[in-house]
Amino acid sequence: MILFLDFDGVLHPDPCYDQGKQFCFLKRLESVLLEFPDVEIVISSTWRESRSIEMLRGFFIPEIQQRIVGVTPNWRDHEELFDVIGYQRQTEIEAWIRTSGEPWLKWVAIDDKCFLFKPFLQNLVRTRPDTGFDEIAEKKLRDLLSKF
């Protein structure tokens, strides 16, 4: 199972002008992920565009750091796929899956921008930009991960 993870609006409010509040919802997510040790993480956040994977891993506890296996490519590098899918973040996820060597892998995404995905996508945990990974999102993620 792969979890595609956005940061802004998920791990902290979006916008987040107070650096002291950055990653204020991270511990809640990490506690869920510790219960599901087979879940690997791919960063789908735009933070991947300006930071190395090592820097991105550094925000997480060591038990989670080792499970971060990559970052999604930019949808603009896969315009032929975007032409078929029509949604930017979902195109990035599908492109990563296709190049993973394991295209059959099940996946879940956590994101606050549902317009970047096909409507009614069952494996999307949508957060609200102001509340991020709250109790509602936590419950939905647990429910999805428990099914796999």
Side-chain angles (χ1 to χ4, degrees):
M1 167 69 72
I2 301 291
L3 171 68
F4 290 93
L5 180 62
D6 183 28
F7 284 9
D8 298 321
V10 176
L11 299 181
H12 48 255
D14 185 22
C16 186
Y17 301 113
D18 179 354
Q19 286 194 344
K21 289 190 176 187
Q22 282 189 335
F23 299 97
C24 61
F25 306 126
L26 178 58
K27 289 202 181 305
R28 178 189 298 269
L29 176 63
E30 288 176 331
S31 70
V32 173
L33 292 174
L34 288 172
E35 295 176 30
F36 297 91
D38 294 334
V39 175
E40 295 182 321
I41 300 122
V42 174
I43 307 299
S44 58
S45 170
T46 57
W47 285 50
R48 75 195 192 283
E49 297 170 0
S50 59
R51 293 165 181 85
S52 69
I53 192 166
E54 291 78 22
M55 288 180 71
L56 297 170
R57 283 184 180 124
F59 296 117
F60 297 82
I61 59 174
E63 297 88 345
I64 303 299
Q65 288 178 8
Q66 62 191 4
R67 293 164 51 187
I68 298 174
V69 297
V71 299
T72 54
N74 189 295
W75 68 272
R76 287 182 180 90
D77 296 330
H78 299 274
E79 288 190 24
E80 73 291 344
L81 191 55
F82 177 76
D83 289 343
V84 173
I85 295 173
Y87 296 89
Q88 294 171 1
R89 188 66 50 88
Q90 189 162 352
T91 297
E92 293 169 345
I93 289 170
E94 294 289 345
W96 188 92
I97 289 171
R98 289 172 189 221
T99 60
S100 73
E102 299 179 288
W104 56 83
L105 289 174
K106 301 218 182 283
W107 61 271
V108 173
I110 305 176
D111 207 299
D112 66 318
K113 294 178 178 64
C114 64
F115 59 86
L116 297 175
F117 296 86
K118 289 181 181 178
F120 311 110
L121 188 66
Q122 296 298 308
N123 50 334
L124 173 63
V125 176
R126 182 180 179 220
T127 60
R128 288 184 30 202
D130 57 335
T131 60
F133 191 70
D134 61 7
E135 303 85 19
I136 296 167
E138 177 183 356
K139 180 181 180 337
K140 179 158 185 185
L141 180 61
R142 285 179 189 282
D143 289 348
L144 285 172
L145 295 179
S146 294
K147 292 178 183 177
F148 298 109

